[in-house]
Amino acid sequence: MRLDPQTSSPHPSLMPISDEKSVREARLAEALRTNLRKRKAASRGPSEGVERAVAAAEAAPPPYFVVRRLEGVNHRDGTRVDLILEISAPYADPDSEEGAACAVRLTGDGGQFDTAHGRAAFGLDGLQAVRRALDLAQVALDLASTTHDLRWPDGRSYDLSAPI
């Protein structure tokens, strides 16, 4: 730790870590919200809207592939649900002559991605669409974590900071 030479106290630019649980939780919540906003922006691309993502997902070829199985414990009443995260194979973007899309669906939580087709992520080609779909899948899990405690099927806590 650097000390201020005049006062022999910690350097003013080094902030101490608060021991207050509520302060730590507030900072963590803000960091999660910021991370969620960044992931949403990255998965959408520069000009795509929600309606386009929903409409394009309807063109996704079945079947979707299960990429993650989790258990969700509702924050309000403690009910448990099976959460299944699925991603489609990349397909031609129905609204573009060039480009690809890849749909993401998270079933079980009743959220924005819990629909028959989910939402689509877009890319210039199939690989970019898959990469953006992985970001979008993380957004789906982040949103589900606001209403459910996410757990692996064996009961271990799911780490949202770990990449998919």
Side-chain angles (χ1 to χ4, degrees):
M1 177 185 327
R2 294 184 296 179
L3 297 178
D4 186 325
Q6 296 173 348
T7 63
S8 297
S9 64
H11 193 274
S13 66
L14 299 176
M15 294 185 61
I17 296 173
S18 175
D19 288 335
E20 287 187 48
K21 184 177 179 182
S22 62
V23 172
R24 287 193 318 261
E25 287 176 350
R27 286 183 182 156
L28 177 60
E30 180 57 31
L32 286 172
R33 283 191 295 275
T34 300
N35 196 16
L36 179 60
R37 284 191 296 271
K38 287 179 183 176
R39 286 180 179 163
K40 279 183 177 179
S43 63
R44 264 196 313 266
S47 64
E48 280 74 331
V50 172
E51 297 81 23
R52 179 173 179 232
V54 171
E58 293 176 6
Y64 285 40
F65 300 94
V66 175
V67 293
R68 184 102 349 130
R69 290 183 188 274
L70 300 170
E71 181 179 75
V73 180
N74 190 296
H75 292 311
R76 289 187 179 161
D77 60 14
T79 57
R80 296 176 182 270
V81 294
D82 291 327
L83 301 174
I84 300 172
L85 181 64
E86 300 171 300
I87 297 179
S88 76
Y91 55 97
D93 180 352
D95 293 332
S96 169
E97 294 195 20
E98 296 179 11
C102 189
V104 175
R105 177 170 61 192
L106 177 66
T107 59
D109 72 331
Q112 300 174 25
F113 290 83
D114 193 356
T115 65
H117 304 286
R119 295 192 178 193
F122 305 93
L124 297 175
D125 58 22
L127 182 59
Q128 187 178 41
V130 169
R131 286 182 175 163
R132 288 186 173 173
L134 291 174
D135 290 338
L136 192 59
Q138 190 64 53
V139 168
L141 290 174
D142 288 343
L143 290 171
S145 75
T146 64
T147 57
H148 292 80
D149 180 28
L150 304 183
R151 304 201 157 273
W152 289 104
D154 65 4
R156 290 179 295 130
S157 184
Y158 181 76
D159 181 7
L160 281 169
S161 65
I164 292 182

